[in-house]
Amino acid sequence: MPVNTILGLFAKSPLKPLQEHASSVHQCCSLLVPFFQATAQQQWENAQHLREQISMLEKQADTLKREIRLKLPRGLFLPVDRTDMLDLVTQQDRLANRAKDIAGRVIGRHLMVPESMQTDFMVYLQRCLDATTQANKVIHELDELLETGFRGREASLVEQMVMELDHIEDDTDHQQILLRQALLALEPQYNPIDVMCLYQVMEWIGSLADESLRVGSRLELMLART
């Protein structure tokens, strides 16, 4: 995104660039659903195309992150600390990085989730993406928070949304344990390196929920300081 566009966003609202970044990250992560659907059908050309889209959105988010760091006005009046805002951008950006890592690892080895695990795996993936969606929603509540001085009903709503993030993350931890147990039972039937990579991919998908919760925790810390 051009620098003048970033500055234009800051002119509209000091929080708009942060929300623009959150939207790019969310779009990037969301593509993992059709990506894994394509791999399950061994549609590797389509999966490769989706991986390229994920990579493009990750680069877009990375560009936004750098521009925010460079162009966030130092004299800007905000009820939150400038450093906290920059840390929040960095935390968000890790989600896009992880989505790119996941797609790259799967494409690199043409990894396929065992057929008997497919349904539970997609439920797990979607639940982890519920967390990235929730983190995006929380960031887009910041304008309302700003208008209310980071107090009142809007602040309570954000706190509830962050609590929901914690609940989602607990769900994904439990689901990951069950998937790892299922893969353990199937290990003798598969290439050992592929099995190791699948364990890693499942862990990386789980980290989407973990990192989303950290976005919420960072925002809670910002609220506590206002």
Side-chain angles (χ1 to χ4, degrees):
M1 180 175 288
V3 171
N4 61 341
T5 305
I6 286 286
L7 292 175
L9 287 172
F10 279 123
K12 293 178 183 177
S13 164
L15 300 173
K16 285 297 182 187
L18 182 67
Q19 293 169 337
E20 187 81 8
H21 181 262
S23 293
S24 290
V25 169
H26 175 60
Q27 291 171 22
C28 179
C29 295
S30 296
L31 286 177
L32 287 173
V33 170
F35 173 79
F36 275 103
Q37 288 171 340
T39 64
Q41 299 297 321
Q42 299 189 55
Q43 298 172 354
W44 293 107
E45 185 175 344
N46 186 28
Q48 172 62 20
H49 177 64
L50 287 162
R51 188 205 67 80
E52 290 169 0
Q53 290 183 57
I54 289 170
S55 182
M56 179 190 67
L57 286 166
E58 186 276 334
K59 288 178 183 176
Q60 179 178 312
D62 208 42
T63 298
L64 280 166
K65 178 190 70 176
R66 287 195 299 270
E67 293 296 345
I68 290 170
R69 285 176 173 173
L70 291 171
K71 301 302 175 183
L72 179 62
R74 293 185 180 277
L76 191 66
F77 175 75
L78 281 174
V80 294
D81 187 78
R82 181 178 184 274
T83 301
D84 283 340
M85 282 192 65
L86 295 177
D87 287 346
L88 191 57
V89 171
T90 299
Q91 195 67 56
Q92 284 180 173
D93 203 63
R94 288 174 182 157
L95 292 167
N97 293 339
R98 184 57 78 198
K100 184 183 74 170
D101 291 343
I102 292 166
R105 178 55 53 88
V106 171
I107 285 291
R109 290 192 63 84
H110 278 202
L111 284 175
M112 288 187 60
V113 176
E115 186 176 353
S116 61
M117 293 175 57
Q118 276 290 339
T119 299
D120 289 341
F121 175 84
M122 292 304 294
V123 170
Y124 169 63
L125 172 63
Q126 186 57 64
R127 192 57 172 155
C128 290
L129 292 178
D130 285 346
T132 66
T133 299
Q134 185 77 347
N136 183 49
K137 288 179 180 177
V138 170
I139 296 301
H140 280 81
E141 288 293 327
L142 286 175
D143 273 345
E144 297 294 330
L145 274 175
L146 185 60
E147 289 180 7
T148 59
F150 283 65
R151 291 289 185 272
R153 203 180 99 188
E154 190 64 28
S156 297
L157 173 62
V158 169
E159 289 172 0
Q160 291 172 14
M161 293 173 75
V162 174
M163 287 178 62
E164 177 61 18
L165 265 174
D166 190 44
H167 176 66
I168 293 169
E169 196 266 344
D170 283 344
D171 284 349
T172 63
D173 282 347
H174 178 66
Q175 290 171 339
Q176 185 180 152
I177 289 170
L178 295 179
L179 283 171
R180 290 172 68 89
Q181 290 173 347
L183 183 56
L184 176 63
L186 296 172
E187 278 185 13
Q189 304 174 34
Y190 292 90
N191 180 312
I193 297 177
D194 284 348
V195 170
M196 290 175 61
C197 288
L198 279 171
Y199 278 123
Q200 186 178 54
V201 164
M202 289 191 299
E203 184 176 345
W204 282 353
I205 290 172
S207 74
L208 294 174
D210 296 337
E211 297 293 347
S212 296
L213 179 58
R214 291 189 183 103
V215 169
S217 297
R218 172 62 62 181
L219 184 54
E220 276 191 319
L221 182 60
M222 289 169 60
L223 291 175
R225 289 176 178 174
T226 58

